[in-house]
């Protein structure tokens, strides 16, 4: 097998079971490998010289030059993917809080030992997103393993994430197993029905990671005036209505997202639609406008897109987070609560908390954290892969 020889000392992160091998760690390739091929990762000169430390997928055009499939002496073949996928599905099955969820993340990439592989289940449809050269090479093994582990009727590939470009991969989408279902895909989340557009929606169609946090909002919403910023298809909005909110204003700049949001509300006849308003706008501008109009809210959600996809964007992202949080604090009624998130990998919880603290200070809002928030249990974070912890949130009370 082709060997990837590391520079001396560059085995350290691998010994800690971190799955990424950066370009700067690679001394040379002994043999030939095409994008996605499996290579043996071998320690350079020093204490571990010549030892095979891992099997990894070669990715010649990415700064992450190889991603580890396994730290053991196992063959990377169809059976390997069957084992890994089955293990990921079994971990969800072992968590009672996930039982009966119609929308569920089955594979969370590196944190489930499958770099570049995302799989989300919506009823009997599974959507996979492959973002690395290695994952791309093994799509049929992964799809077969998913079908075996879940018994799902159909599998759709939605590999159109921009990060594929960095791996030298073209976008690709289509049915890997089965064909499009006759009607819309609809899941129930905490008893609220939500349409999932797996073909044109964001990510694989839905933000499953916020499931627990939507329930928390619902529990806080009774009688409250709620502002949901970056609402997408209304996940938080509908839970707030289900929790008895007096009024919910939802803002997003995406018209298709708002169309689905309204459709979702119509799907849930039990929710009194008259309490909801949908607003197509840029949140940055709309928060200013609401402040100028003297509006006040008891509960505000800020769940923006990734402002800092990587560490190099952190400064600009920090200014953006500061801006929306500052204007949200100004809009809070006395005793109100702000639920604020960052899903930027490049912004740590520490940094995010400091930004939110600065925003409260500048807004003249005396507030305290009552909860730290994170993604749901089907979005685990491998201890060896802290980068997996992208979603962080704070529930702050004025
Ligand atoms: N809270 C949502 C997920 C939010 S994803 C849920 O629970 O499902 C981020 C959303 O922000 C996307 O829907 C995107 O269309 C929207 N968005 C991005 N930039 C925006 C901006 N400047 N103003 C308003 N919406 C924006």
């Amino acid at each position: 097998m082709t060997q990837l020889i590391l520079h001396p000392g560059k085995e350290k992160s691998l010994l800690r079971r971190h799955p990424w091998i950066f370009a700067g760690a690679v001394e040379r390739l002994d043999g030939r490998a095409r994008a996605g091929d499996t290579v043996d990762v071998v320690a350079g000169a020093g204490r571990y010289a010549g030892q095979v430390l891992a099997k990894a997928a070669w990715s010649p055009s990415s700064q992450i030059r190889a991603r580890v499939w396994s730290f053991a002496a196992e063959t990377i073949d169809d059976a390997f993917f069957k084992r890994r996928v089955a293990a990921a599905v079994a971990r969800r099955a072992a968590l009672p809080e996930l039982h009966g969820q119609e929308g569920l993340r089955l594979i969370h990439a590196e944190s489930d030992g499958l770099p570049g592989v995302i799989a989300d289940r919506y009823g009997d449809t599974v959507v996979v997103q492959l973002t690395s050269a290695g994952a791309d090479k093994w799509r049929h093994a992964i799809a077969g393993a998913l079908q075996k582990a879940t018994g799902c009727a159909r599998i759709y590939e939605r590999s159109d994430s921009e990060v594929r470009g960095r791996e030298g991969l073209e976008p690709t989408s289509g049915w890997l197993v089965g064909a499009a279902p006759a009607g819309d895909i609809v899941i129930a989340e905490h008893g609220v029905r939500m349409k999932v557009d797996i073909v044109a929606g964001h990510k694989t169609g839905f933000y499953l990671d916020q499931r627990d946090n939507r329930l928390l909002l619902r529990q806080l919403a009774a009688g409250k005036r709620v502002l949901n910023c970056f609402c997408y298809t209304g996940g938080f909005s509908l839970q707030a209505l289900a929790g008895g909110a007096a009024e919910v204003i939802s803002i997003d700049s995406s018209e298709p997202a708002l169309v689905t949001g309204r459709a979702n509300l119509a799907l849930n006849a039990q929710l009194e639609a008259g309490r909801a308003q949908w607003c197509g706008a840029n949140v940055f501008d709309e928060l200013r406008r609401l402040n100028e109009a003297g509006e006040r809210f008891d509960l505000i959600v800020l769940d923006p897109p990734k402002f800092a996809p990587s560490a190099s964007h952190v400064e600009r992202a920090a200014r953006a987070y500061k801006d929306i949080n500052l204007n949200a604090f100004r809009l809070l009624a006395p005793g109100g609560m702000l639920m604020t998130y960052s899903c930027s990998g490049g912004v740590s919880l520490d940094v995010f908390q400091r930004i939110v603290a600065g925003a409260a200070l500048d807004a003249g809002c005396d507030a305290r954290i009552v909860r730290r928030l994170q993604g749901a249990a089907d979005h685990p974070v491998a201890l060896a892969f802290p980068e997996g912890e992208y979603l962080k949130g704070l529930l702050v009370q004025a």
Side-chain angles (χ1 to χ4, degrees):
M1 167 149 331
T2 296
Q3 296 197 325
L4 183 165
I5 315 293
L6 295 169
H7 280 302
K10 293 298 186 187
E11 69 282 357
K12 284 205 193 82
S13 68
L14 285 168
L15 295 171
R16 288 195 306 263
R17 294 285 193 266
H18 192 278
W20 289 353
I21 299 159
F22 285 95
V26 179
E27 186 177 285
R28 64 175 197 278
L29 209 57
D30 271 358
R32 293 161 68 99
R34 281 171 308 177
D37 285 354
T38 304
V39 296
D40 279 339
V41 183
V42 177
R47 182 167 159 208
Y48 299 93
Q51 274 190 39
V52 177
L53 301 174
K55 307 264 186 189
W58 176 242
S59 190
S61 57
S62 172
Q63 270 311 299
I64 303 173
R65 201 50 55 93
R67 291 167 198 255
V68 172
W69 288 127
S70 176
F71 292 99
E74 60 185 325
T75 305
I76 308 307
D77 54 10
D78 286 20
F80 166 81
F81 288 98
K82 280 213 173 71
R83 291 193 297 276
R84 280 284 159 97
V85 170
V89 171
R91 278 192 285 274
R92 273 75 181 166
L95 291 169
E97 64 182 284
L98 297 177
H99 290 175
Q101 291 298 345
E102 292 177 11
L104 187 67
R105 174 149 297 188
L106 298 173
I107 302 176
H108 192 45
E110 276 80 353
S111 293
D112 280 305
L114 290 166
V117 183
I118 295 291
D120 290 338
R121 179 175 194 154
Y122 301 112
D124 58 4
T125 301
V126 173
V127 183
V128 291
Q129 188 161 74
L130 308 174
T131 58
S132 66
D136 193 78
K137 178 190 166 92
W138 290 100
R139 66 164 43 72
H140 294 292
I142 293 162
L146 274 164
Q147 198 185 14
K148 182 156 192 289
T150 64
C152 64
R154 55 187 80 84
I155 301 178
Y156 184 70
E157 180 178 0
R158 178 77 194 278
S159 296
D160 58 358
S161 159
E162 303 163 7
V163 299
R164 277 176 69 90
R166 281 185 245 149
E167 296 272 323
L169 301 168
E170 298 289 323
T172 167
S173 293
W175 292 94
L176 297 177
V177 173
D184 289 335
I185 294 177
V186 175
I187 58 164
E189 190 181 72
H190 315 305
V192 170
R193 300 179 73 216
M194 301 293 293
K195 265 183 18 170
V196 180
D197 184 347
I198 62 168
V199 174
H202 295 180
K203 303 218 283 189
T204 64
F206 196 67
Y207 291 87
L208 291 166
D209 51 358
Q210 291 286 25
R211 183 192 309 113
D212 296 354
N213 299 325
R214 293 193 192 106
L215 183 59
L216 175 62
L217 185 78
R218 173 175 176 154
Q219 289 159 350
L220 296 169
K224 299 289 198 283
R225 183 164 201 238
V226 180
L227 180 65
N228 180 16
C229 302
F230 309 97
C231 67
Y232 187 48
T233 58
F236 280 104
S237 311
L238 269 62
Q239 293 302 333
L241 291 169
E247 184 186 354
V248 179
I249 298 180
S250 307
I251 311 172
D252 203 283
S253 56
S254 158
E255 196 46 44
L258 292 174
V259 167
T260 306
R262 288 193 185 92
N264 282 335
L265 187 52
L267 268 182
N268 293 274
Q270 78 280 17
L271 304 178
E272 223 180 284
R275 293 176 291 155
Q277 280 180 56
W278 305 88
C279 169
N282 181 332
V283 166
F284 290 82
D285 302 335
E286 187 62 14
L287 288 176
R288 288 194 165 71
R289 199 194 63 76
L290 290 165
N291 266 305
E292 278 158 22
E295 301 277 356
R296 289 292 175 270
F297 295 89
D298 307 305
L299 255 180
I300 301 178
V301 180
L302 292 177
D303 184 23
K306 233 187 279 176
F307 289 149
S310 74
S312 60
H313 302 80
V314 170
E315 229 174 273
R316 225 182 62 201
R319 280 197 295 277
Y321 286 121
K322 173 83 181 278
D323 188 80
I324 54 174
N325 280 279
L326 171 65
N327 285 312
F329 276 121
R330 286 188 176 137
L331 282 172
L332 269 191
M337 289 202 197
L338 171 64
M339 191 181 255
T340 181
Y341 297 95
S342 162
C343 62
S344 297
V347 175
S348 66
L349 176 60
D350 245 31
V351 169
F352 184 56
Q353 186 173 320
R354 249 179 279 144
I355 295 168
V356 174
L361 188 67
D362 289 5
C365 182
D366 170 35
R368 67 262 324 125
I369 296 166
V370 292
R371 280 228 206 182
R372 291 207 161 81
L373 307 169
Q374 58 182 25
D378 48 344
H379 297 63
V381 182
L383 284 169
F385 185 68
E387 294 88 338
E389 182 157 34
Y390 65 102
L391 180 63
K392 50 239 119 0
L394 298 171
L395 179 63
V396 176
Q397 187 174 38

